[in-house]
Amino acid sequence: MTEQTPRPVELKVENLDLSFGGVKALDSLSFEVVRGQIMGIIGPNGAGKTSTLNCINGFYRAQHGEIYFQDKRITRLRPDSIAKLGISRTFQNIQLYTGLNVVDNLMAARHFLFKSTWVEGALYYGRTHREEVEHRWAVEHIIDFLELERWRKSVVGTLPYGIRKRIDLGRALAQEPKLLLLDEPMAGMNVEEKEDMARFILDVQEEKGITIVLIEHDMGVVMDITDKIVVLDFGRKIAEGPPDVVNKDPVVIKAYLGEQAASPV
Amino acid sequence: MMPSGVFNTRPQQDMAIVRTRAQWLLLAAALIFLVTLGLYLPQEWVVWLIMVGIYTVAALGIHIMTGLCGQFSMGQAAFMALGAYTTAFLAGSHGWSPWLTLPLSGLVAGLGGLVFGIPALRIKGFYLVLTTIAAQFVIMWAIRQPDWLGETYGLDVPAISIGGAALKDAQFWWLTLGVAAVMLFLAKNIQRTATGRKFVAVRDNDLAAEVMGINLFRTKLLAFFIGCFFAGIAGWLWAHHLLRINPDLFTFSLSLWFLAMIIIGGMGSTAGVVMGAGVIMLVDKLVPRLSPVLADAFPSLGYQIPAALSLILFALVVILFILIEPKGLYHRLQRIKLYYRLNPFSY
């Protein structure tokens, strides 16, 4: 995607340091994500990709460095406050509410968009009913968008892996985010499921205009759908740029794809 | 699954508790039946119905705390005691109107629940169970202190009177039925709206719930508050039913009974709570009749074993349910309904 006019920066990470005891998970990591882009984070196992996402949504506290979301500093905020600002995520190993059905999983994600209090809810009085209906329609549109109609009323604990991955994406979308963090959305999928998921991710970007940060191991997918890639190794950024540039970077090829892959793929 | 020919075309239909005209008629018929029971049943069984109603309300509190939010509480009887003593103190000793102490009993128990819910922020599972057991004993110990409430042993509670006349058992059953119906409605509404979904989110996956923006601490505390509020209301009913309360009523084993009720009824369904309360109370009612018969039939057993039969049978019922029907009675009822809707086609 070529840029005509410079678009505003949606997410800015500056000099992030994170260590667990003596292990440095992130080492002065900095990058920027432009609004409306899909940015990929790649790197070998243990490079700090998931830690980066955990820092962005407040699950981990970085020891140093700052994170700005739409020019607002979010470094010290709690996860629930960050979610309310419009950052939502999916998980590497699916973390759904297994006892609820698909509709309720998505409805539960929208909890902070409800204005009625629990007392109004208990009495089912006032705006409760109107809100329930309103949000139910929004959830139905997302179900429609992700082609989950068949499983609408199924308890998610009973559904197959690929579907649950899609529900996880749906739950993140149900929060109406401005920035979506996807942690290996295609891990463990077959080619068809990967193609479906890639199509959904591109649709999310194009139709809803949501900025996406994506962690993925499948290099083919990452090269195809991202606008920019950040490569991590041992918590440090070793390369950054458009896919076709990163692809040819000898440092990246050595660190990530291995010595043997140094010849063009 | 919906009856044949009934389809949801709008979310409003899907959300309604009562969906079809037939269900409305059944609900009305059931209510009328329950009301008239008070007129025809012998007094002994009316009292039994009152106890089922009271225990249903308390078990609904456990249903919200444990069934929905996953926070095990084994101190529900103590929170009932908080509600009961609130009304005994205010309505009995200070002459307040019992109608005023009804919400106050709930509030006091709810606030007590908040205090003992605070550890839930840090601990879960078995450790939380232990702190709620502690709640049971700390609260009952505090209530037994003579210098607080005047008397260690028992407080008189005034009878509720409407239009000058004190309520008789049948009328008290109607009052219990009304309160229980309202509490059921509230519990069902909590379950089907945003608050209930938050509770289940915390129960099923607290890590994801936190990342998805649910404030764990506030949600858990709210569950404790609402659950103990229900206990307080049940305590109010019990106090005004017995007219004299003492600390020995609110035992630890009663707390366990409430847990057993939601296990037998089926965790996570309000209708199941009513069924669970009914089954447990039926066991409780029938076993005392069984034990003299057994003692006569098998004199070699002596009198201790039949007397202990109630507890043994109670344990047996719970174990059988966990083994054979872990999802509870409500789930079995749904399966039976499904079978007859699909019959003779198995799909």
Side-chain angles (χ1 to χ4, degrees), chain A residues 165-186:
Chain A
K165 274 286 200 202
R166 219 190 288 171
I167 298 166
D168 200 7
L169 175 63
R171 189 179 58 171
L173 285 179
Q175 299 198 313
E176 304 198 341
K178 301 183 187 83
L179 173 66
L180 192 57
L181 312 173
L182 303 176
D183 197 346
E184 300 198 19
M186 294 159 206

Side-chain angles (χ1 to χ4, degrees), chain B residues 43-178:
Chain B
Q43 201 221 0
E44 185 195 356
W45 282 95
V46 172
V47 171
W48 181 82
L49 278 176
I50 292 173
M51 288 318 293
V52 172
I54 292 171
Y55 285 180
T56 300
V57 174
L60 277 174
I62 290 281
H63 159 70
I64 289 168
M65 269 189 282
T66 308
L68 295 184
C69 199
Q71 310 299 308
F72 273 87
S73 169
M74 292 191 149
Q76 193 75 343
F79 294 112
M80 267 180 95
L82 279 185
Y85 272 84
T86 303
T87 192
F89 186 64
L90 292 177
S93 311
H94 289 74
W96 292 33
S97 159
W99 301 115
L100 197 63
T101 59
L102 173 62
L104 282 179
S105 295
L107 276 181
V108 169
L111 292 177
L114 280 187
V115 172
F116 285 96
I118 288 172
L121 171 68
R122 293 259 170 227
I123 53 180
K124 46 188 176 183
F126 289 117
Y127 306 99
L128 185 63
V129 169
L130 276 176
T131 57
T132 56
I133 291 175
Q136 167 84 35
F137 290 104
V138 168
I139 290 174
M140 293 323 293
W141 173 82
I143 283 174
R144 279 174 203 274
Q145 299 309 301
D147 40 334
W148 289 23
L149 296 164
E151 285 172 83
T152 322
Y153 240 79
L155 280 176
D156 283 321
V157 187
I160 294 171
S161 53
I162 295 175
L167 292 188
K168 288 193 281 291
D169 276 340
Q171 291 153 334
F172 197 85
W173 158 239
W174 295 334
L175 175 69
T176 310
L177 182 65

Side-chain angles (χ1 to χ4, degrees), chain B residues 55 58-60 62-63 66-67 72-76 252-269 272-281 283 310-311 313-322 325-330:
Chain B
Y55 285 180
L60 277 174
I62 290 281
H63 159 70
T66 308
F72 273 87
S73 169
M74 292 191 149
Q76 193 75 343
F252 178 57
S253 65
L254 183 62
S255 295
L256 293 183
W257 279 40
F258 296 133
L259 219 51
M261 283 173 195
I262 66 163
I263 290 172
I264 287 176
M267 285 246 193
S269 81
V273 174
V274 184
M275 294 180 195
V279 168
I280 290 276
M281 292 303 288
V283 171
S310 164
L311 280 175
L313 209 71
F314 165 69
L316 201 67
V317 167
V318 174
I319 291 170
L320 282 179
F321 264 95
I322 290 173
E325 198 76 273
K327 286 183 177 171
L329 277 175
Y330 182 72

